Amino acid sequence: MIMLGALAATTASIGWAAGMVLAHGPAQQLGAFEFTRIQLLVAGTVTGLLVALFGQWPSVNWQHWPSFLISISIGVILGNLAMAECLRRGGPRNAELVISLKAPLIAAMAYFWYGETMAPADLAGGLIALGGVSLAITATQSSGTRGAVAPVLFFGLASAFCQGIGFLCLRPAMQSGTEPMALGAVRLLGASMLVSLAGLWHQTRAVSAIEVTPILMFRTILPGLIGYSVSTPLLLFAFAHTQAGVAAVLGSLAPVLILPLLWIVERQRPSPRAVAGALIAVTGAAIIVLM
């Protein structure tokens, strides 16, 4: 089961890397709030229908509703609004670099929250992976950053911290038998309801003035489905079946995985230093999985 958790976290990273590349343009056009609102509404509906189709709603342990509320308000709404703003200001490469810091943040929070410590091999692999991630991204150009770096750093760190809280507070619910996809649906449906209410309250300011064409809608929905409906349940499964620090590190490999995707999309070949960083990150992940 530990190996399945590691595989799930790594697959989640692949999904987030693809979603981040696809989401950059729509996030810039729509703004953080409207971009997040559309994604949550569609992804929540789709995920809820899938949970009903597979008969997983009865698995939800509603006794943990305070954790659900914390995860929805902090982990989903604040975390994803901050991530969208970080992406809009810094571009996919820089956004992923900062958000990847959620791995050490989650490991530290798991230590203070649950008293969880990482095995020496896992700790070494995590540090190697994070070092490789940093080397791979800082070796590339910082194209796409608009204005000062400080807001990108602020929103990225805020997103990482909020998402960490949102995942960790759900561990007791998952350990009580709640299916990851059902838990993901609870988060998304609750968040979409709150964001929609906020949009009605501040309609003149929150809703984007740009016309949402069918093409723009599709480009907004697709990365949302990849991230919310696929990658998030996979990472929740990883948090339920392996150590939080290990799941966080393997779930933070998107900055490395995004390099070949950006090469394809932007026609910019990664530098040898970036490739070396990617190989180091993969080595660190392999140590975690195999040791």
Side-chain angles (χ1 to χ4, degrees), residues 87-256:
L87 173 65
R88 190 180 70 86
R89 290 172 178 264
R93 184 181 292 114
N94 296 299
E96 281 289 8
L97 170 61
V98 181
I99 295 173
S100 69
L101 294 175
K102 71 182 177 184
L105 283 175
I106 289 178
M109 285 189 287
Y111 173 77
F112 289 106
W113 200 331
Y114 295 113
E116 180 181 291
T117 57
M118 297 178 67
D122 293 336
L123 180 59
L127 292 175
I128 291 172
L130 288 174
V133 167
S134 299
L135 178 62
I137 305 303
T138 54
T140 61
Q141 293 180 343
S142 297
S143 59
T145 303
R146 303 192 311 174
V149 176
V152 178
L153 183 62
F154 171 79
F155 285 113
L157 288 175
S159 176
F161 183 74
C162 290
Q163 289 183 24
I165 292 176
F167 282 121
L168 286 177
C169 72
L170 294 177
R171 171 170 280 189
M174 290 184 287
Q175 291 177 336
S176 69
T178 302
E179 293 290 343
M181 183 177 289
L183 198 53
V186 171
R187 281 163 42 97
L188 289 173
L189 290 172
S192 62
M193 181 180 67
L194 292 178
V195 168
S196 296
L197 290 175
L200 292 174
W201 191 9
H202 297 289
Q203 187 171 10
T204 57
R205 296 179 55 188
V207 178
S208 172
I210 295 178
E211 180 184 359
V212 182
T213 64
I215 294 178
L216 180 57
M217 178 67 75
F218 174 77
R219 292 175 58 209
T220 302
I221 290 173
L222 181 59
L225 291 176
I226 294 173
Y228 292 126
S229 301
V230 179
S231 290
T232 297
L234 286 172
L235 191 59
L236 287 171
F237 177 86
F239 273 107
H241 297 287
T242 188
Q243 286 187 316
V246 174
V249 169
L250 295 178
S252 300
L253 293 177
V256 170

